[in-house]
Amino acid sequence: MDGGTIALDGETSLGSETATQPPLLSSPTPTYSSPIHPAANAVHRCDAAHAAASSSKGSIGVGAGNYFELHWQICHGRELQFQLAGHTLCSSDDGRFHPNLSLNFKTLCPRTSRGNFKCKIDSILRNHLGTAKILKLNVADEDSTYPYIDRWLEVAVTPGIEELTLTLHKKYIFACSLLSDGVRDSIRCLQLTFCAFHPMAELGPLRSLTKLHLCGVHITGDELESLLLNSLVLEQLRLNVCNKISFLKIPCVLQHLSCLSVMACRRMQVIVCEAPNLSSISLSGGIKFSLGETLTMKVLSMIRPNVVCYARAQLPSIMPNLESMVLSSDSEAVNIPMLPTKFLCLKHLTIQIARGTFSPSYDYFFLVSFLHASPSLETLYLDVFQEDMRHESIVEDSSAHLRQLPELSHECLKSVEIIGFNSAKSLVELTCCIVKAAASLERLVLDTLRGGDRCSGESNGKICWPVSNAVLKESARAAIAVRRYIEDKVAPTTTLTLVGTCTRCHSLAFG
């Protein structure tokens, strides 16, 4: 097998693990099976070396150095088998090593017991000593691996490694000593999940690091700032569930930083970003953020209550050059105002205000304010799914008068998708307004179900997600509203797709 990501589903075979002999630790005298490859003389040379070592030390306690010297002499033969520390090891390749390693329980032990997991990791890392360019190691929830993580990383993290993605153990402390001068020269991407990491200024510069992703990592704001000051070519910084940080300062020396994401860091209160070329930011929670330069901002994602109203009222003046925006909220108590400010460059807008039940007073129609403010908008994705729709249904009011904005005209909007479309009068009014105003509209999707609960139709062999009777009832009313008020307003050049329910959905209904 040539280079590339190695498929670890049987290339390395191991025997049963003995309870007293953990990986990468001292082990009893190894015994070798008969050679099965023409290169038998390589094995004989190694046997001689082993015999010499045994005679000088008695039963050879194979340390890391001794073992690796022995292993390197053997592993270049094709399918040479030997036993070490109670494990049957096998090198199935033709002497070439795989620079990309992805080690996790699913790929290593799809049909075997968990006891073999650490044995296989041990074998593979030995077999690729100093050769890995990309290492992805996931031992999350595998408590039995915790004592061996240090030795595995000492073996695998060597100068020349470029990408390190580790999902470890909540008690594990990632040692800064692993980031030697040679490693700091080569590593381009560092992703740590579920561990502690305490870098300080003495760490030294990471000269090639462009991506830093930390998830569930115990690190303080001061420690992270020290790491950032040593990462002058950093382009992406992503923090998820890093709950030790309350204040984050991103220094101005990060001239290359373009992407910042801070999600679910529940103690984060303030972010001060002085990086001059930031163009993409994702934030969740009520974080106060200060940006040194906002004219470079192109992409924004925010998750917080009442974010839709906040974005319309505040962001046109703060980030006037936004091109893509995602707004997610589970609570919108204030209707969006109609304002003169504009998002002149905005092309893609996603609004998610889905929750169990909206206040009946929330007026969807005012979302048209974004259409009015975004003359360059091309795609609109709106998720308004409710488990229990309590708005006034237009289906139950045959004399309903629909509000309109006849002066609204939009020349760029091409695609509109509404997830959780329902028969609320204000939502039907919004949809009609969009259809009438968007002269270039090519695609209109009205999904009366939640995106993940999409109906599979009547096709054999497929299933539908169970939905409540309330959702089924509202889906039927929404379909009536589309046919009564929207369908005849859709231009012939626009493809209208109505996603509803099938008989199987009704058979699976609950509540």
Side-chain angles (χ1 to χ4, degrees), residues 288-369:
K288 297 179 181 179
F289 62 94
S290 171
L291 302 177
E293 178 56 72
T294 61
L295 295 180
T296 58
M297 287 298 305
K298 304 294 184 183
V299 179
L300 172 69
S301 176
M302 295 185 70
I303 303 174
R304 56 179 281 189
N306 293 310
V307 69
V308 179
C309 184
Y310 165 81
R312 180 63 189 94
Q314 303 294 329
L315 293 184
S317 57
I318 298 175
M319 302 177 183
N321 296 322
L322 281 175
E323 296 179 1
S324 178
M325 183 161 58
V326 177
L327 306 173
S328 182
S329 170
D330 64 356
S331 176
E332 287 291 324
V334 181
N335 291 323
I336 298 174
M338 295 291 288
L339 298 170
T341 52
K342 303 283 187 180
F343 292 104
L344 294 177
C345 302
L346 190 64
K347 296 181 179 180
H348 309 287
L349 174 63
T350 295
I351 298 176
Q352 299 171 304
I353 47 178
R355 59 173 299 171
T357 302
F358 285 18
S359 168
S361 63
Y362 187 77
D363 195 333
Y364 294 109
F365 182 71
F366 285 101
L367 290 172
V368 78
S369 176

XYZ file of all heavy atoms in Angstrom, residues 288-369:
642
model
N -19.048 39.631 24.940
C -18.735 40.966 24.465
C -17.433 40.894 23.672
O -16.434 40.382 24.174
C -18.564 41.932 25.646
C -19.828 42.112 26.477
C -19.569 43.066 27.639
C -20.822 43.237 28.482
N -20.575 44.147 29.653
N -17.479 41.369 22.455
C -16.270 41.275 21.639
C -15.909 42.622 21.048
O -16.764 43.428 20.684
C -16.421 40.219 20.542
C -17.512 40.487 19.546
C -17.240 41.132 18.352
C -18.808 40.073 19.798
C -18.236 41.372 17.433
C -19.817 40.314 18.880
C -19.532 40.961 17.699
N -14.609 42.839 20.986
C -14.065 44.073 20.431
C -13.098 43.701 19.324
O -12.165 42.923 19.539
C -13.341 44.870 21.524
O -12.628 45.955 20.970
N -13.332 44.240 18.137
C -12.500 43.935 16.980
C -11.713 45.178 16.590
O -12.281 46.266 16.440
C -13.354 43.464 15.801
C -14.228 42.227 16.053
C -15.060 41.922 14.819
C -13.375 41.030 16.426
N -10.417 44.994 16.419
C -9.584 46.122 16.033
C -9.900 46.627 14.643
O -9.840 47.818 14.355
N -10.265 45.711 13.752
C -10.583 46.064 12.377
C -11.826 45.285 11.952
O -11.834 44.060 11.997
C -9.408 45.745 11.457
C -9.674 46.042 9.981
C -10.075 47.481 9.761
O -9.212 48.358 9.879
O -11.280 47.712 9.468
N -12.864 45.984 11.568
C -14.122 45.315 11.207
C -14.415 45.361 9.715
O -15.268 44.623 9.232
C -15.303 45.955 11.958
O -15.395 47.347 11.589
C -15.123 45.832 13.460
N -13.713 46.212 8.978
C -14.000 46.326 7.552
C -13.583 45.075 6.781
O -14.046 44.848 5.661
C -13.285 47.555 6.968
C -13.749 48.922 7.506
C -12.960 50.044 6.846
C -15.249 49.113 7.276
N -12.707 44.259 7.385
C -12.254 43.036 6.709
C -13.206 41.867 6.931
O -13.044 40.811 6.312
C -10.861 42.630 7.224
O -10.932 42.430 8.642
C -9.832 43.695 6.904
N -14.204 42.023 7.805
C -15.093 40.909 8.155
C -15.994 40.554 6.972
O -16.725 41.393 6.448
C -15.957 41.273 9.352
C -15.202 41.296 10.671
S -14.524 39.682 11.093
C -15.997 38.686 11.023
N -15.933 39.272 6.576
C -16.736 38.765 5.463
C -17.765 37.723 5.896
O -18.827 37.613 5.285
C -15.816 38.144 4.400
C -14.738 39.072 3.858
C -15.327 40.222 3.069
C -14.225 41.072 2.450
N -14.765 42.250 1.725
N -17.428 36.936 6.920
C -18.275 35.818 7.338
C -18.521 35.907 8.836
O -17.582 36.048 9.620
C -17.616 34.460 7.007
C -18.503 33.301 7.471
C -17.324 34.360 5.515
N -19.793 35.814 9.234
C -20.159 35.907 10.647
C -21.180 34.832 10.990
O -22.141 34.610 10.255
C -20.762 37.284 10.968
C -21.358 37.447 12.372
C -20.244 37.443 13.419
C -22.193 38.714 12.474
N -20.947 34.147 12.131
C -21.912 33.202 12.673
C -22.080 33.511 14.154
O -21.082 33.577 14.888
C -21.434 31.763 12.470
O -22.330 30.845 13.083
N -23.323 33.687 14.591
C -23.588 34.010 15.989
C -24.742 33.171 16.507
O -25.774 33.014 15.833
C -23.908 35.502 16.159
C -22.770 36.445 15.832
S -23.186 38.184 16.187
C -23.209 38.150 17.989
N -24.567 32.657 17.734
C -25.612 31.901 18.416
C -25.844 32.556 19.767
O -24.957 32.555 20.635
C -25.208 30.420 18.620
C -24.867 29.767 17.285
C -26.313 29.647 19.325
C -24.319 28.352 17.428
N -27.019 33.132 19.958
C -27.372 33.770 21.227
C -28.833 34.178 21.181
O -29.403 34.336 20.088
C -26.486 34.987 21.502
C -26.492 36.019 20.411
C -25.638 37.220 20.724
N -26.300 38.155 21.626
C -25.824 39.366 21.923
N -24.671 39.752 21.405
N -26.465 40.154 22.740
N -29.499 34.363 22.324
C -30.887 34.816 22.320
C -31.012 36.205 21.692
O -30.133 37.063 21.841
C -31.259 34.836 23.812
C -30.292 33.895 24.459
C -29.022 34.019 23.681
N -32.083 36.402 20.968
C -32.406 37.693 20.342
C -31.329 38.181 19.376
O -31.205 39.374 19.113
C -32.650 38.771 21.418
C -33.893 38.492 22.234
O -34.966 38.238 21.701
N -33.743 38.509 23.552
N -30.573 37.253 18.810
C -29.476 37.649 17.925
C -29.991 38.200 16.598
O -29.318 39.022 15.962
C -28.522 36.463 17.674
C -29.176 35.379 16.840
C -27.228 36.926 17.025
N -31.175 37.766 16.166
C -31.694 38.222 14.881
C -31.988 39.721 14.934
O -31.580 40.483 14.042
C -32.950 37.424 14.488
C -33.509 37.925 13.162
C -32.630 35.931 14.401
N -32.654 40.139 15.984
C -32.934 41.568 16.148
C -31.647 42.362 16.346
O -31.466 43.439 15.766
C -33.873 41.773 17.333
S -34.384 43.479 17.575
N -30.728 41.813 17.146
C -29.441 42.490 17.378
C -28.681 42.693 16.075
O -28.152 43.780 15.803
C -28.604 41.664 18.360
C -27.157 42.061 18.402
C -26.735 43.157 19.160
C -26.195 41.357 17.680
C -25.395 43.534 19.187
C -24.859 41.723 17.696
C -24.467 42.814 18.451
O -23.154 43.195 18.466
N -28.627 41.654 15.257
C -27.859 41.735 14.018
C -28.424 42.794 13.085
O -27.670 43.562 12.470
C -27.845 40.376 13.325
N -29.736 42.830 12.972
C -30.339 43.812 12.059
C -30.118 45.232 12.554
O -29.898 46.149 11.752
C -31.842 43.525 11.913
C -32.554 44.500 10.976
C -32.015 44.389 9.560
N -32.538 45.449 8.690
C -31.914 46.591 8.465
N -30.738 46.852 9.049
N -32.435 47.481 7.650
N -30.166 45.437 13.862
C -30.061 46.791 14.400
C -28.625 47.290 14.471
O -28.366 48.482 14.264
C -30.699 46.843 15.794
N -27.650 46.382 14.756
C -26.301 46.828 15.071
C -25.246 46.546 14.001
O -24.335 47.346 13.798
C -25.848 46.169 16.389
C -26.748 46.443 17.575
C -26.742 47.905 17.996
O -25.733 48.604 17.837
N -27.857 48.378 18.511
N -25.356 45.417 13.328
C -24.234 44.962 12.509
C -23.997 45.728 11.208
O -22.855 45.776 10.743
C -24.381 43.465 12.211
C -24.250 42.554 13.432
C -24.310 41.087 13.021
C -22.954 42.830 14.198
N -25.007 46.304 10.565
C -24.697 47.032 9.319
C -23.652 48.125 9.505
O -22.829 48.363 8.613
C -26.058 47.620 8.906
C -27.057 46.678 9.486
C -26.474 46.263 10.803
N -23.642 48.763 10.652
C -22.661 49.823 10.890
C -21.349 49.277 11.425
O -20.278 49.871 11.216
C -23.227 50.854 11.877
O -23.597 50.221 13.102
N -21.385 48.095 12.101
C -20.170 47.526 12.677
C -19.389 46.718 11.638
O -18.159 46.811 11.546
C -20.522 46.628 13.881
C -21.196 47.444 14.983
C -19.273 45.947 14.426
C -21.683 46.601 16.147
N -20.109 45.905 10.854
C -19.486 45.041 9.845
C -20.164 45.264 8.494
O -20.928 44.428 8.019
C -19.604 43.564 10.266
C -18.975 43.257 11.604
S -19.221 41.515 12.075
C -18.469 41.496 13.697
N -19.906 46.353 7.860
C -20.642 46.717 6.646
C -20.321 45.858 5.431
O -21.078 45.872 4.459
C -20.243 48.172 6.411
C -18.890 48.290 7.047
C -18.935 47.396 8.238
N -19.205 45.104 5.478
C -18.792 44.343 4.300
C -19.065 42.841 4.406
O -18.490 42.052 3.660
C -17.298 44.574 4.041
C -16.999 46.021 3.695
O -17.780 46.670 2.993
N -15.888 46.535 4.192
N -19.951 42.452 5.312
C -20.289 41.041 5.456
C -20.845 40.475 4.150
O -21.672 41.106 3.488
C -21.318 40.840 6.568
C -20.812 40.858 8.009
C -21.986 40.757 8.968
C -19.814 39.736 8.260
N -20.401 39.242 3.819
C -20.905 38.549 2.636
C -21.732 37.323 2.988
O -22.578 36.891 2.197
C -19.732 38.131 1.746
C -18.952 39.316 1.186
C -17.777 38.876 0.339
O -17.583 37.646 0.173
O -17.057 39.759 -0.167
N -21.487 36.749 4.172
C -22.233 35.570 4.609
C -22.514 35.699 6.094
O -21.610 36.034 6.879
C -21.432 34.295 4.327
O -22.121 33.146 4.776
N -23.763 35.392 6.505
C -24.136 35.554 7.899
C -25.068 34.428 8.326
O -26.024 34.092 7.623
C -24.811 36.913 8.111
C -25.179 37.212 9.565
S -25.462 38.977 9.867
C -26.777 39.337 8.692
N -24.753 33.828 9.493
C -25.589 32.794 10.097
C -25.992 33.282 11.479
O -25.138 33.564 12.321
C -24.845 31.450 10.205
C -25.715 30.415 10.916
C -24.434 30.936 8.835
N -27.288 33.358 11.710
C -27.825 33.823 12.990
C -28.688 32.721 13.580
O -29.615 32.241 12.923
C -28.648 35.097 12.802
C -27.955 36.256 12.077
C -28.938 37.387 11.808
C -26.767 36.758 12.882
N -28.391 32.324 14.808
C -29.128 31.228 15.436
C -29.588 31.647 16.824
O -28.787 32.113 17.640
C -28.249 29.980 15.520
O -28.965 28.898 16.073
N -30.889 31.456 17.091
C -31.465 31.864 18.362
C -32.578 30.908 18.748
O -33.311 30.410 17.888
C -32.022 33.291 18.254
O -32.790 33.620 19.393
N -32.698 30.653 20.041
C -33.834 29.862 20.505
C -34.872 30.744 21.196
O -35.843 30.260 21.767
C -33.376 28.752 21.458
C -32.755 29.295 22.734
O -32.612 30.526 22.849
O -32.419 28.484 23.621
N -34.647 32.054 21.125
C -35.590 32.976 21.744
C -35.493 34.332 21.060
O -34.448 34.994 21.130
C -35.284 33.119 23.242
O -36.134 34.070 23.843
N -36.553 34.727 20.396
C -36.642 36.053 19.783
C -37.900 36.726 20.319
O -39.008 36.457 19.878
C -36.678 35.949 18.260
C -35.360 35.571 17.633
C -34.299 36.661 17.752
O -34.654 37.863 17.671
O -33.122 36.312 17.942
N -37.689 37.593 21.290
C -38.835 38.230 21.947
C -39.215 39.555 21.305
O -40.300 40.080 21.548
C -38.522 38.456 23.432
N -38.317 40.091 20.472
C -38.534 41.419 19.882
C -38.616 41.284 18.369
O -37.774 40.625 17.744
C -37.396 42.381 20.271
C -37.641 43.765 19.688
C -37.244 42.440 21.789
N -39.617 41.906 17.778
C -39.737 41.892 16.327
C -38.648 42.760 15.694
O -38.189 43.744 16.274
C -41.111 42.407 15.909
C -42.219 41.439 16.294
O -42.041 40.223 16.220
N -43.365 41.973 16.721
N -38.234 42.375 14.502
C -37.139 43.058 13.814
C -37.619 44.412 13.302
O -38.665 44.503 12.638
C -36.635 42.202 12.643
C -36.092 40.881 13.180
C -35.557 42.926 11.867
C -35.711 39.913 12.100
N -36.862 45.443 13.564
C -37.276 46.767 13.086
C -36.953 46.969 11.603
O -36.042 46.360 11.063
C -36.453 47.724 13.953
C -35.203 46.945 14.267
C -35.636 45.511 14.386
N -37.707 47.821 10.953
C -37.393 48.269 9.599
C -36.491 49.490 9.722
O -36.887 50.506 10.294
C -38.669 48.616 8.836
C -39.574 47.429 8.592
S -38.889 46.229 7.429
C -39.040 47.136 5.897
N -35.264 49.368 9.213
C -34.260 50.411 9.385
C -33.663 50.794 8.041
O -33.667 49.995 7.100
C -33.150 49.925 10.321
C -33.565 49.581 11.760
C -32.425 48.893 12.482
C -33.988 50.841 12.514
N -33.093 51.986 7.931
C -32.487 52.409 6.655
C -31.098 51.825 6.411
O -30.603 51.876 5.280
C -32.421 53.932 6.802
C -32.330 54.170 8.278
C -33.144 53.089 8.910
N -30.438 51.282 7.445
C -29.080 50.761 7.291
C -29.088 49.518 6.404
O -30.070 48.776 6.349
C -28.472 50.428 8.656
O -29.383 49.588 9.386
C -28.209 51.689 9.440
N -27.949 49.267 5.727
C -27.893 48.213 4.709
C -26.720 47.259 4.931
O -25.678 47.634 5.455
C -27.733 48.839 3.317
C -28.812 49.837 2.919
C -30.088 49.134 2.511
C -31.102 50.123 1.952
N -32.356 49.453 1.535
N -26.935 46.020 4.483
C -25.853 45.060 4.283
C -25.598 45.013 2.775
O -26.097 44.134 2.073
C -26.249 43.670 4.776
C -26.423 43.537 6.264
C -27.686 43.484 6.828
C -25.315 43.445 7.094
C -27.844 43.337 8.198
C -25.462 43.309 8.469
C -26.740 43.256 9.030
N -24.815 45.918 2.277
C -24.693 46.068 0.833
C -23.990 44.902 0.156
O -24.202 44.656 -1.037
C -23.949 47.366 0.511
C -24.690 48.657 0.887
C -23.810 49.873 0.586
C -26.017 48.760 0.144
N -23.150 44.176 0.900
C -22.361 43.082 0.305
C -22.902 41.697 0.651
O -22.370 40.691 0.163
C -20.905 43.190 0.762
S -20.107 44.748 0.351
N -23.930 41.610 1.477
C -24.410 40.320 1.971
C -25.026 39.491 0.844
O -25.951 39.934 0.161
C -25.438 40.529 3.075
C -25.856 39.276 3.853
C -24.676 38.706 4.625
C -27.017 39.586 4.799
N -24.495 38.253 0.669
C -24.978 37.356 -0.387
C -25.682 36.127 0.155
O -26.553 35.565 -0.526
C -23.814 36.925 -1.280
C -23.165 38.062 -2.053
C -22.035 37.547 -2.932
C -21.394 38.686 -3.724
N -20.284 38.177 -4.587
N -25.306 35.676 1.345
C -25.858 34.435 1.887
C -26.292 34.663 3.336
O -25.481 35.077 4.171
C -24.821 33.312 1.815
C -24.208 33.152 0.456
N -24.893 32.601 -0.603
C -22.978 33.495 -0.022
C -24.117 32.598 -1.667
N -22.952 33.145 -1.344
N -27.554 34.368 3.614
C -28.112 34.606 4.943
C -28.835 33.363 5.440
O -29.690 32.809 4.745
C -29.077 35.797 4.912
C -29.846 36.085 6.208
C -28.885 36.445 7.343
C -30.868 37.202 5.987
N -28.464 32.928 6.645
C -29.146 31.830 7.324
C -29.679 32.346 8.655
O -28.921 32.927 9.447
C -28.193 30.647 7.578
O -27.788 30.086 6.334
C -28.867 29.569 8.411
N -30.962 32.142 8.884
C -31.591 32.526 10.145
C -32.253 31.293 10.739
O -33.118 30.681 10.110
C -32.638 33.651 9.950
C -31.965 34.910 9.413
C -33.353 33.937 11.260
C -32.951 36.039 9.110
N -31.841 30.925 11.944
C -32.405 29.780 12.646
C -32.989 30.261 13.965
O -32.259 30.648 14.871
C -31.326 28.717 12.896
C -30.708 28.171 11.616
C -29.506 27.283 11.890
O -28.555 27.702 12.539
N -29.553 26.054 11.405
N -34.294 30.236 14.061
C -34.950 30.606 15.310
C -35.924 29.502 15.714
O -37.020 29.752 16.183
C -35.658 31.975 15.210
C -36.491 32.089 13.927
C -34.660 33.103 15.277
C -37.234 33.411 13.813
N -35.472 28.273 15.493
C -36.311 27.119 15.787
C -36.298 26.811 17.281
O -35.277 26.916 17.944
C -35.816 25.897 15.012
N -37.445 26.422 17.796
C -37.570 25.994 19.184
C -38.888 25.258 19.334
O -39.644 25.114 18.373
C -37.508 27.179 20.150
C -38.587 28.220 19.922
C -38.583 29.273 21.014
N -38.837 28.684 22.315
C -38.718 29.365 23.460
N -38.319 30.616 23.438
N -38.984 28.788 24.612
N -39.172 24.782 20.536
C -40.400 24.027 20.749
C -41.647 24.828 20.420
O -42.506 24.393 19.664
N -41.748 26.025 20.989
C -42.920 26.876 20.766
C -42.488 28.332 20.750
O -41.761 28.771 21.635
C -43.969 26.679 21.879
O -44.356 25.310 21.921
C -45.204 27.524 21.619
N -42.929 29.072 19.738
C -42.666 30.511 19.690
C -43.804 31.251 20.390
O -44.925 30.773 20.468
C -42.628 30.990 18.241
C -41.378 30.622 17.505
C -40.541 29.630 17.964
C -41.033 31.283 16.346
C -39.405 29.283 17.282
C -39.891 30.949 15.652
C -39.071 29.941 16.126
N -43.479 32.445 20.833
C -44.538 33.308 21.338
C -45.469 33.663 20.177
O -45.007 34.038 19.099
C -43.938 34.585 21.926
O -44.946 35.542 22.162
N -46.764 33.546 20.366
C -47.708 33.891 19.289
C -47.575 35.347 18.829
O -48.026 35.695 17.743
C -49.084 33.631 19.928
C -48.812 32.672 21.033
C -47.450 33.016 21.551
N -46.941 36.168 19.660
C -46.805 37.582 19.298
C -45.633 37.840 18.350
O -45.509 38.940 17.805
C -46.630 38.431 20.561
O -45.433 38.079 21.239
N -44.771 36.826 18.151
C -43.629 37.048 17.268
C -44.107 37.123 15.821
O -44.802 36.239 15.325
C -42.585 35.938 17.419
C -41.334 36.238 16.635
C -40.404 37.159 17.104
C -41.095 35.639 15.398
C -39.261 37.457 16.383
C -39.956 35.935 14.670
C -39.048 36.847 15.164
O -37.923 37.163 14.443
N -43.693 38.177 15.130
C -44.181 38.466 13.780
C -43.095 38.128 12.755
O -42.115 38.846 12.594
C -44.553 39.946 13.683
C -45.401 40.244 12.457
O -45.276 39.496 11.462
O -46.172 41.223 12.484
N -43.300 37.007 12.054
C -42.337 36.595 11.030
C -42.217 37.629 9.908
O -41.165 37.733 9.262
C -42.767 35.268 10.402
C -42.756 34.067 11.308
C -43.938 33.485 11.735
C -41.556 33.488 11.717
C -43.942 32.367 12.550
C -41.540 32.373 12.527
C -42.732 31.814 12.949
O -42.728 30.704 13.755
N -43.261 38.358 9.650
C -43.285 39.244 8.493
C -42.147 40.263 8.532
O -41.616 40.661 7.495
C -44.632 39.965 8.416
C -44.782 40.863 7.221
C -44.932 40.324 5.951
C -44.769 42.246 7.351
C -45.069 41.146 4.833
C -44.910 43.069 6.243
C -45.054 42.514 4.987
N -41.736 40.650 9.749
C -40.705 41.667 9.860
C -39.317 41.154 9.469
O -38.378 41.956 9.342
C -40.684 42.246 11.280
C -41.817 43.193 11.551
C -42.926 42.782 12.263
C -41.782 44.487 11.051
C -43.974 43.649 12.497
C -42.822 45.362 11.274
C -43.937 44.945 12.007
N -39.178 39.850 9.244
C -37.918 39.339 8.722
C -37.628 39.881 7.322
O -36.492 39.814 6.847
C -37.933 37.808 8.692
C -37.899 37.101 10.053
C -38.122 35.604 9.866
C -36.584 37.358 10.763
N -38.660 40.416 6.674
C -38.462 41.001 5.354
C -37.517 42.193 5.425
O -36.965 42.629 4.406
C -39.826 41.421 4.748
C -40.324 42.722 5.354
C -39.733 41.529 3.234
N -37.274 42.693 6.632
C -36.332 43.788 6.815
C -34.940 43.414 6.309
O -34.213 44.264 5.780
C -36.268 44.179 8.294
O -35.302 45.181 8.516
